């Protein structure tokens, strides 16, 4: 979570700097009297980051995240342990921002070795952006939050230098990635989840209700006694036929289930026998332990859950039979009351069963048996052994990961070679006593297009692209976790 939060911070603090903040209400007892904005909060070698700069970064990111959490109906999230980790969301944000500013200071100190320096144009753009932020906020808000133009400007300088430096720090990373390393396959699938007794009961009730409705409508349209009598006789005959057919189908399904249970029991007995024989021959302790664990899980499996999975298997096999008889995948899915889906993944896919079942299969290949997972049974068809678009996207992801790993390694090296200290007392004085939100569209109309262009000029194109991706990923993750 820290990585995505840090990326989100860069986006809100830099790209949105000229927007205003909305101070909505007090979140608790104010500790403002303990806050000294000029105090050294972070010391990196012989240079310091003031509490005011840290405070500015926290406030702007607070506004971004609090808008998200409050939209979900949550209150005072920064003073709560949102994820059960034993720390408040506010403390987590402080830790992330502390790391970000520490890296920015290290990057600034090493900038000369990489030939990196802010141009006069960038300095001017940063100054204008900082001023634009101050102008966009009411004096009362700035005073209550102890935010100054100087702190905003310094924060922007560090953020911009860090972005420029990280581009140079990762400039020599190998950007060549083979198709084999990034290979992504595309499949079409339908998942049949376990069918419980409750599901079957609900299904039966629905069918009965539909049958009663159809019968009632049929009776209403009859007008002559003779026709009614004839229709009723036909209806009764039809009902008896349907009941007989339903009973036959039920008996058949019961027989299938019973047969499969017998086969399953027989297979289970054979498997246990083979397993016992294999365990006697095992020489490695790890393999023996794994086999024993699987056997224990089989013995303790809930009979109802096993029966529900068996029903899912029957339906999956039914659809697979339709496909093997030549039916189209989408049509076969519809006949089963399902909608076919598609996805792409590589050999490292989290659902290992699907990755293994489709490994090495050619385009258009139907997996011969339903694929069992913890969620149920999948009916799968390989659409593309190597999906070009997804594979190229994976290559870009691999290159980005390589660059980030090199950047992180350099920061660690510089940190270990120097001295970094954080004044916990000063940091404790930066509290979350106010609820902050991002302004509405009406509140941001006062911000001119010129100011927006200035902000864009203050950061590199690389950061703009990365920040856009980061905020989407951050917001999505935060919503999911919340």
């Amino acid at each position: 979570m820290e990585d995505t939060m840090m990326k989100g911070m860069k986006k809100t603090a830099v790209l949105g700097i000229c927007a205003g903040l909305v101070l909505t209400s007090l979140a608790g007892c104010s500790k403002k009297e303990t806050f000294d904005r000029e105090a050294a909060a972070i010391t990196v070698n012989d240079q310091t980051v003031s509490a005011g700069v840290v405070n500015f970064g926290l406030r702007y990111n607070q506004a971004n995240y609090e808008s998200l959490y409050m939209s979900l109906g949550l209150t005072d999230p920064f003073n709560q342990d949102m994820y059960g980790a034993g720390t408040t969301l506010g403390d987590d944000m402080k830790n992330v921002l502390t790391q970000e500013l520490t890296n920015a200071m290290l990057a600034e100190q090493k900038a000369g070795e990489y030939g990196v320096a802010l141009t006069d144009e960038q300095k001017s753009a940063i100054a204008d952006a900082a001023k634009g932020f101050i102008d966009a906020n009411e004096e009362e808000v700035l005073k209550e939050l102890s935010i100054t133009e100087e702190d905003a400007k310094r924060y922007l300088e560090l953020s911009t230098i860090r972005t420029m430096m990280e581009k140079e720090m990762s400039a020599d990373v190998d950007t060549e990635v083979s198709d084999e390393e990034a290979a992504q396959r595309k499949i079409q699938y339908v998942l049949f989840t376990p069918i419980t007794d409750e599901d079957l009961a609900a299904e039966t009730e629905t069918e009965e209700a539909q049958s009663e409705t159809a019968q009632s409508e049929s009776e209403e349209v009859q007008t002559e006694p003779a026709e009614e009598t004839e229709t009723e006789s036909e209806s009764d005959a039809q009902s008896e036929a349907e009941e007989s057919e339903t009973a036959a189908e039920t008996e058949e399904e019961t027989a299938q289930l019973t047969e499969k249970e017998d086969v399953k029991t027989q297979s289970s007995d054979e498997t246990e026998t083979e397993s016992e024989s294999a365990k006697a021959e095992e020489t490695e302790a790890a393999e023996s332990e794994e086999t024993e664990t699987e056997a224990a899980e089989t013995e303790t499996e809930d009979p109802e859950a096993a029966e529900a999975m068996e029903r899912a298997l029957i339906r999956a096999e039914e659809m697979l039979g339709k496909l093997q008889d030549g039916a189209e995948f989408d049509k076969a899915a519809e006949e089963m009351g399902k909608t076919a889906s598609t996805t792409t993944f590589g050999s490292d896919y989290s659902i290992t069963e699907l990755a293994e079942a489709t490994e090495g299969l050619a385009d258009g290949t139907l997996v011969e048996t339903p694929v069992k997972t913890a969620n149920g049974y999948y009916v799968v068809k390989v659409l593309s052994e190597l999906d070009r678009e997804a594979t190229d996207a994976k290559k870009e992801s691999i290159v980005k990961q390589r660059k980030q790993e090199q950047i992180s390694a350099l920061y660690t090296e510089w940190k270990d070679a120097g001295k970094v200290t954080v004044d916990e007392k000063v940091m404790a004085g930066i509290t979350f006593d106010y609820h902050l939100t991002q302004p509405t569209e009406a509140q941001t109309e006062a911000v001119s297009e010129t100011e927006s262009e200035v902000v864009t000029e203050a950061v590199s194109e690389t950061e703009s692209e990365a920040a856009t991706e980061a905020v989407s990923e951050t917001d999505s993750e935060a919503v999911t976790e919340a």
Side-chain angles (χ1 to χ4, degrees):
M1 177 184 172
E2 289 190 0
D3 289 341
T4 52
M5 184 182 287
M6 189 178 295
K7 292 176 182 176
M9 285 182 177
K10 186 182 293 184
K11 182 265 178 187
T12 57
V14 180
L15 298 185
I17 190 66
C18 60
L21 297 178
V22 178
L23 181 63
T24 58
S25 64
L26 289 175
C29 298
S30 176
K31 300 178 182 178
K32 182 180 175 183
E33 65 276 3
T34 65
F35 178 68
D36 178 6
R37 56 169 295 276
E38 294 183 357
I42 307 170
T43 302
V44 181
N45 298 322
D46 297 327
Q47 292 181 293
T48 62
V49 177
S50 72
V53 174
V54 176
N55 177 62
F56 173 80
L58 281 175
R59 296 309 165 211
Y60 214 95
N61 285 285
Q62 177 186 355
N64 181 60
Y65 281 95
E66 194 155 24
S67 296
L68 173 64
Y69 284 116
M70 293 185 75
S71 71
L72 298 173
L74 301 173
T75 59
D76 196 21
F78 291 94
N79 290 310
Q80 297 177 12
D81 181 2
M82 296 292 296
Y83 303 104
T87 58
T88 66
L89 185 62
D91 288 337
D92 292 338
M93 182 171 284
K94 282 186 187 180
N95 293 334
V96 172
L97 186 61
T98 296
Q99 182 63 55
E100 181 188 42
L101 289 173
T102 297
N103 289 344
M105 288 290 289
L106 289 168
E108 185 179 54
Q109 292 168 10
K110 293 288 185 178
E113 299 178 17
Y114 287 81
V116 173
L118 293 175
T119 65
D120 290 341
E121 184 179 1
Q122 286 175 317
K123 291 178 181 178
S124 177
I126 288 173
D128 289 344
K131 183 178 184 303
F133 171 80
I134 297 299
D135 292 343
N137 284 279
E138 296 181 4
E139 184 176 349
E140 180 184 359
V141 173
L142 298 173
K143 182 179 179 180
E144 289 293 344
L145 299 179
S146 300
I147 293 177
T148 68
E149 184 176 339
E150 179 184 352
D151 293 333
K153 179 180 176 182
R154 179 57 178 152
Y155 187 83
L156 274 179
E157 288 175 347
L158 287 172
S159 297
T160 305
I161 288 174
R162 182 185 176 197
T163 298
M164 296 168 64
M165 272 292 290
E166 290 183 356
K167 185 176 181 180
E168 295 301 320
M169 290 160 65
S170 59
D172 60 346
V173 165
D174 182 13
T175 58
E176 292 297 323
V177 181
S178 67
D179 279 349
E180 182 179 1
E181 182 179 0
Q184 300 290 298
R185 73 198 65 153
K186 185 175 184 178
I187 67 168
Q188 190 172 24
Y189 69 91
V190 167
L191 170 61
F192 291 92
T193 54
I195 304 173
T196 64
D197 291 335
E198 289 78 6
D199 295 332
L200 286 176
E203 216 173 280
T204 302
E205 288 179 5
T206 301
E207 290 176 355
E208 289 177 351
Q210 291 175 346
S211 177
E212 290 176 1
T213 301
Q215 184 175 349
S216 176
E217 291 176 352
S218 176
E219 291 175 351
E220 288 176 1
V221 298
Q222 306 304 321
T223 57
E224 296 183 8
E227 292 178 352
E228 288 179 1
T229 303
E230 182 180 351
T231 302
E232 287 176 2
S233 299
E234 292 176 355
S235 177
D236 291 340
Q238 183 178 356
S239 296
E240 291 176 3
E242 288 176 351
E243 288 176 1
S244 299
E245 184 179 349
T246 301
E249 290 176 353
T250 303
E251 291 177 1
E252 183 180 351
E253 289 176 359
T254 302
Q256 289 179 348
L257 286 174
T258 303
E259 182 180 351
K260 288 184 175 292
E261 288 292 344
D262 293 340
V263 172
K264 183 177 178 182
T265 302
Q266 181 181 354
S267 176
S268 177
D269 293 339
E270 292 175 356
T271 301
E272 288 179 3
T273 303
E274 292 174 0
S275 176
E276 290 175 3
S277 176
K279 281 191 287 182
E281 299 174 358
E282 289 292 345
T283 56
E284 296 183 6
E287 293 181 0
S288 177
E289 182 178 351
E290 182 180 351
T291 304
E292 291 173 359
T293 301
E294 291 177 352
E297 289 177 352
T298 301
E299 292 174 1
T300 58
E301 188 175 14
D302 183 0
E304 291 184 4
E307 186 177 355
M309 282 291 281
E310 188 69 19
R311 292 179 182 132
L313 174 59
I314 291 173
R315 296 197 70 205
E317 289 178 336
E318 183 180 347
M319 177 176 171
L320 192 60
K322 293 177 182 291
L323 296 173
Q324 291 170 340
D325 288 340
E328 294 292 332
F329 202 97
D330 288 331
K331 185 176 180 181
E334 289 178 7
E335 291 177 355
M336 299 299 299
K338 294 285 188 177
T339 301
S341 302
T342 60
T343 188
T344 57
F345 56 83
S347 57
D348 59 347
Y349 191 39
S350 58
I351 306 179
T352 56
E353 297 90 345
L354 289 182
E356 292 173 357
T358 56
E359 179 70 31
L361 297 184
D363 295 2
T365 302
L366 181 67
V367 178
E368 295 181 351
T369 59
V371 181
K372 182 179 181 181
T373 70
N375 295 326
Y377 285 90
Y378 284 83
V379 175
V380 184
K381 180 180 181 180
V382 177
L383 297 181
S384 177
E385 181 183 8
L386 181 70
D387 185 272
R388 175 48 55 193
E389 184 177 353
T391 299
D392 289 343
K394 182 63 175 180
K395 287 183 178 182
E396 293 179 6
S397 176
I398 291 173
V399 171
K400 286 181 180 179
Q401 183 178 354
R402 290 176 182 175
K403 289 184 176 182
Q404 189 55 53
E405 287 174 353
Q406 179 156 309
I407 291 169
S408 297
L410 285 172
Y411 279 138
T412 299
E413 178 185 330
W414 296 343
K415 192 180 300 181
D416 292 343
K419 184 179 180 181
V420 177
T421 58
V422 178
D423 192 319
E424 298 297 341
K425 185 176 180 180
V426 171
M427 294 294 288
I430 307 176
T431 60
F432 295 88
D433 298 331
Y434 301 93
H435 289 313
L436 291 173
T437 58
Q438 292 282 22
T440 63
E441 292 183 6
Q443 291 168 320
T444 57
E445 288 179 356
V447 181
S448 67
E449 292 183 5
T450 303
E451 287 176 335
S452 298
E453 292 173 359
V454 164
V455 177
T456 303
E457 293 173 1
V459 294
S460 67
E461 180 180 352
T462 302
E463 180 175 28
S464 298
E465 295 175 354
T468 300
E469 295 176 1
V471 69
S472 176
E473 178 183 356
T474 304
D475 290 350
S476 177
E477 180 178 300
V479 170
T480 302
E481 292 180 352

